[in-house]
Amino acid sequence: MYLYDDLDRALLDDRVAEFRDQVARRISGELTEDEFKPLRLMNGVYLQLHAYMLRVCIPYGTLSSPQLRMLAHVARRYDRGYGHFTTRQNIQFNWIKLDELPDAIADLGKVGVHGMQTSGNCVRNITTDQWAGAAPDEIEDPRIFAEILRQHLTMHPEFSFLPRKFKIALTASAHDRAAIRVHDIGLRMHRNGAGETGFEVVVGGGLGRTPYVGKTINPFLHKRDLLSYVEAILRVYNQFGRRDNIYKARIKILVHELGAEAFGKEVEAEWRQIKDGPLALDAATIADIASRFSYPDYARLADDPTELSQARQTDKRFDTWLGNSVANHKQPGYAIVTLSLKPEGAPPGDATADQMDAIADLADKYSFGEIRVGHEQNLVLPHVAQHDLPALWRALDALGVATPNVGLVSDIIACPGLDYCSLANTRSIPVAQELTRRFRDLSLARDLGRLHINISGCINACGHHHVGHIGLLGVEKNGEEYFQVSIGGRADEKAGLGTLLGPAVPYAEVADVVEDIVAAYLELRERPDEIFLHTVERVGVEPFKERVYATR
Amino acid sequence: MTAPQQQKLKITGPVVVTANRLGDGAVVYLDVQGGWTTSLAAAAVTTKVDEARALLMQGLADDINAVGAYIAPVLRSPDGVLTPGNLREQIRLHGPTVALPGAAGM
């Protein structure tokens, strides 16, 4: 956990007081909506279809138990008793009243949580691997560098009015769980031939209307240069990014139009002027930030304790859950536990206030008070002693967050869609709900293996449909809901965009179409362990296209 | 961006002016007295372009009670009952089409 200091607390207190005054002036009529809108957006307050929505960021996906309890309190006191975890490690409250927003934000500020820079053309919440600090294949904790970037880029005057929003993600593991290659800047920590630690710098990735996988402009950037190099990228973007056309304003368009090599040269030229200045990170600065993270005081434990093997033998459901939702930890005797927020028939990523409170209690009891939020819209308890897993599972099962479907067909990513969002063309949540019912048989789901379905209710792609193994994009045709279907996308270290299968299908047929695709996969796969994605890579999309459209 | 009063209006059926209430974002409709109501049945309805534009101007002029006024289609049954004219407006009026989680959904 990162420990806030007096400066952080003063900044949040000042912002709460400022926003309280702005809301009062809006309600009194002193501010018009045109004047107030950019101010509320700077605090994460949107006006959606039928209510205000507050988006709260969870930096690098890390929450303490008091912070999660405060989110539960806000959900219960100011909203309708639940929150929605998003694909960018944020949480959204859907029903907050304007005159209560300052109190809600003040309450969040008490535990160092806020909605600043969750909207607007600034650097948004900096995200990373939800297993950071716990993953066995991790080089260093990427959150230290995410925090350095967060501090530098929060309320940065030069980058508060960029051509468009800007998203940064980091990973420090070989397997990318943070989807860094579809971010404006993706940073992959690795070691060079000399054994030094640095970052591969990827720019110009993104989804939305014009999707791109990012391009590498620097294969190895030393840690000391991280801040100055990111500053140089942002300066080049700020100068050359298009402000005349909102659809061409993201950095991905600039990188595409200039070419990655030319863009990289511009960055290098800018960087040369600032690399040895005050933004250079010396070891002491990195160590200072690292020292403000508290780490668990692990007990000396052995892997595979007796209690665990006994429970696996005596309880099939526990054994199934363990095989699906529990991952290895870097510390012997510990494990990483994913909590599925995708039970059958529920909106993906939603959690009730009661669930949040209970999970905070379980985090205190079993995970050193830490909770993580992943971009797949699930939660994680990152540091659980293996001998506690049976007891933890019973508690999670009772809470409804132990469905053993993590990474499987019913672990669906979905945006809020037209049920909440003013930008959406179609609903997403009911499609996801229907698919979880169709694939309620978890034996079948396990037989299918890893299969990610991503659903977006509009071209803005908050549901990451381009990088779903099966991607569903809602479009409106003559007032009716239709879905474009693509397959073969992925968001990991081999990120790629899915291929559109053909004409959009009606809303009512989407679940049938997905079942057809899955049936085709079962016939086409060479072996039971050939996952859907690999079958698509081997045979192409044609056999799936034929299956879907043969009778339609 | 073109100002609402300068936008070309194309109306193919009955319309109302709708917005979100400032205090809580609730969906409201301009009524025949020029106030805002949460009841679609009480909304001012027109099928004429000039009247729709006038209603819109009236709605936009009130920047205190309602936000983001625009013209929305409605359907009128033979006995005069108004219903939203498309799915988006149905959801705005009736709320999400899915049960809300936890106690909120009961």
Side-chain angles (χ1 to χ4, degrees):
Chain A
M1 290 304 309
Y2 181 77
L3 305 174
Y4 281 84
D5 61 15
D6 290 343
L7 193 68
D8 297 305
R9 284 188 286 274
L11 186 146
L12 286 182
D13 290 345
D14 288 350
R15 177 55 76 96
V16 169
E18 181 184 67
F19 187 60
R20 192 180 293 282
D21 176 62
Q22 290 162 348
V23 168
R25 287 193 288 146
R26 174 65 186 118
I27 290 172
S28 74
E30 188 181 338
L31 290 178
T32 66
E33 185 59 20
D34 284 348
E35 292 166 333
F36 179 65
K37 183 178 177 181
L39 303 176
R40 66 170 161 80
L41 287 175
M42 284 180 184
N43 292 285
V45 179
Y46 290 71
L47 183 51
Q48 295 285 35
L49 283 186
H50 22 226
Y52 288 97
M53 182 267 279
L54 173 63
R55 180 181 293 159
V56 175
C57 69
I58 300 165
Y60 31 86
T62 297
L63 279 172
S64 67
S65 52
Q67 287 174 329
L68 185 56
R69 282 192 196 94
M70 187 58 82
L71 295 177
H73 161 74
V74 167
R76 192 178 285 119
R77 166 68 183 80
Y78 302 103
D79 207 89
R80 295 193 182 178
Y82 68 97
H84 172 74
F85 290 99
T86 77
T87 52
R88 291 214 76 256
Q89 297 182 322
N90 297 314
I91 185 170
Q92 295 177 173
F93 299 105
N94 294 297
W95 304 97
I96 289 198
K97 294 180 174 62
L98 182 61
D99 61 357
E100 293 185 341
L101 268 161
D103 288 339
I105 289 173
D107 285 350
L108 291 169
K110 291 173 189 168
V111 292
V113 175
H114 59 81
M116 283 189 285
Q117 298 193 192
T118 59
S119 178
N121 295 338
C122 55
V123 178
R124 302 290 187 88
N125 187 27
I126 294 170
T127 58
T128 187
D129 185 351
Q130 66 270 27
W131 294 2
D137 62 341
E138 183 173 276
I139 296 172
E140 290 179 28
D141 188 341
R143 294 174 302 166
I144 294 163
F145 299 93
E147 175 60 22
I148 289 170
L149 288 167
R150 188 192 71 81
Q151 289 189 14
H152 182 64
L153 297 170
T154 297
M155 298 172 70
H156 191 307
E158 192 176 338
F159 305 136
S160 293
F161 298 94
L162 292 165
R164 198 74 179 90
K165 59 187 170 183
F166 202 92
K167 301 174 182 177
I168 301 175
L170 299 89
T171 183
S173 290
H175 178 51
D176 178 8
R177 283 173 288 268
I180 67 155
R181 290 176 193 279
V182 288
H183 278 74
D184 296 293
I185 296 178
L187 298 163
R188 180 181 71 88
M189 182 179 273
H190 66 114
R191 290 197 179 94
N192 64 10
E196 298 169 310
T197 305
F199 293 93
E200 176 190 2
V201 182
V202 181
V203 296
L207 301 175
R209 183 176 300 267
T210 314
Y212 286 111
V213 174
K215 312 286 194 306
T216 300
I217 61 166
N218 191 333
F220 186 83
L221 177 75
H222 197 279
K223 286 189 293 190
R224 75 177 287 278
D225 297 321
L226 178 67
L227 215 48
S228 58
Y229 201 84
V230 167
E231 176 106 349
I233 293 171
L234 281 161
R235 284 187 179 183
V236 170
Y237 171 53
N238 214 7
Q239 183 175 359
F240 296 115
R242 291 183 60 171
R243 294 173 190 270
D244 62 318
N245 184 335
I246 191 173
Y247 302 121
K248 296 186 176 180
R250 295 289 292 270
I251 193 174
K252 60 191 174 185
I253 304 296
L254 179 65
V255 172
H256 178 70
E257 290 185 350
L258 272 183
E261 191 177 341
F263 181 85
K265 284 180 180 171
E266 293 286 350
V267 172
E268 289 285 327
E270 184 68 34
W271 181 50
R272 275 197 296 275
Q273 300 177 50
I274 59 174
K275 66 192 287 280
D276 297 319
L279 295 183
L281 291 169
D282 55 28
T285 302
I286 297 172
D288 179 48
I289 296 294
S291 72
R292 297 193 218 173
F293 280 86
S294 65
Y295 288 93
D297 184 16
Y298 297 114
R300 289 170 65 88
L301 300 171
D303 281 331
D304 299 319
T306 311
E307 302 93 316
L308 188 62
S309 45
Q310 283 178 345
R312 295 186 71 169
Q313 286 171 3
T314 56
D315 194 326
K316 182 82 171 62
R317 289 182 65 232
F318 170 72
D319 189 50
T320 300
W321 172 80
L322 187 89
N324 171 263
S325 304
V326 179
N328 293 335
H329 196 284
K330 67 179 184 182
Q331 181 72 19
Y334 285 83
I336 302 167
V337 176
T338 299
L339 283 53
S340 172
L341 297 183
K342 319 289 178 65
E344 181 188 330
D350 280 9
T352 66
D354 291 347
Q355 285 177 319
M356 288 188 247
D357 273 338
I359 292 167
D361 291 346
L362 292 172
D364 280 341
K365 192 170 181 182
Y366 296 115
S367 186
F368 297 92
E370 260 192 62
I371 306 98
R372 305 292 178 78
V373 184
H375 85 271
E376 297 92 345
Q377 301 176 284
N378 289 319
L379 300 181
V380 170
L381 295 179
H383 313 291
V384 179
Q386 291 174 14
H387 61 68
D388 286 332
L389 287 169
L392 173 63
W393 169 71
R394 284 190 290 274
L396 296 176
D397 193 34
L399 274 178
V401 293
T403 306
N405 63 348
V406 174
L408 303 181
V409 64
S410 54
D411 185 5
I412 296 168
I413 290 176
C415 70
L418 190 58
D419 283 297
Y420 294 95
C421 178
S422 60
L423 298 175
N425 293 320
T426 68
R427 292 169 289 165
S428 301
I429 294 170
V431 176
Q433 290 174 312
E434 176 60 16
L435 285 170
T436 63
R437 293 185 193 104
R438 297 284 181 104
F439 293 100
R440 63 158 60 94
D441 178 354
L442 291 170
S443 299
L444 169 65
R446 280 192 296 281
D447 181 40
L448 295 173
R450 183 163 283 275
L451 207 177
H452 300 170
I453 299 178
N454 295 3
I455 309 173
S456 301
C458 79
I459 194 70
N460 293 300
C462 294
H464 296 189
H465 64 276
H466 298 104
V467 288
H469 297 179
I470 299 175
L472 304 172
L473 164 63
V475 294
E476 185 199 324
K477 291 169 80 169
N478 300 320
E480 300 292 327
E481 297 170 285
Y482 279 72
F483 279 82
Q484 293 181 354
V485 182
S486 59
I487 62 171
R490 59 194 297 177
D492 61 7
E493 62 278 5
K494 295 178 180 172
L497 306 175
T499 302
L500 188 64
L501 276 189
V505 298
Y507 173 89
E509 294 181 27
V510 174
D512 293 341
V513 165
V514 172
E515 283 192 319
D516 285 349
I517 291 170
V518 168
Y521 155 66
L522 287 172
E523 291 171 17
L524 289 163
R525 70 181 180 184
E526 282 189 326
R527 307 174 310 279
D529 64 347
E530 182 182 70
I531 65 169
F532 174 81
L533 195 57
H534 294 158
T535 302
V536 175
E537 287 168 355
R538 181 172 55 79
V539 305
V541 302
E542 284 304 320
F544 295 95
K545 186 185 287 188
E546 283 171 22
R547 173 63 70 97
V548 168
Y549 294 105
T551 57
R552 291 187 172 85
Chain B
M1 185 179 285
T2 310
Q5 60 271 31
Q6 295 170 324
Q7 288 173 357
K8 191 172 180 182
L9 281 182
K10 186 179 176 187
I11 292 174
T12 56
V15 296
V16 297
V17 169
T18 182
N20 291 85
R21 193 161 59 195
L22 177 66
D24 58 3
V27 174
V28 288
Y29 304 93
L30 196 64
D31 66 22
V32 290
Q33 283 83 39
W36 296 98
T37 173
T38 55
S39 167
L40 180 57
V45 187
T46 182
T47 56
K48 297 187 173 74
V49 170
D50 289 346
E51 288 180 8
R53 184 177 283 114
L55 286 173
L56 178 60
M57 291 304 101
Q58 194 177 346
L60 288 168
D62 180 1
D63 193 51
I64 297 292
N65 295 303
V67 178
Y70 65 93
I71 293 171
V74 291
L75 302 174
R76 187 158 41 192
S77 69
D79 53 356
V81 176
L82 294 177
T83 53
N86 57 38
L87 178 60
R88 176 190 168 89
E89 293 305 322
Q90 283 175 37
I91 292 172
R92 288 184 74 240
L93 179 60
H94 299 299
T97 62
V98 297
L100 305 187
M106 296 159 84

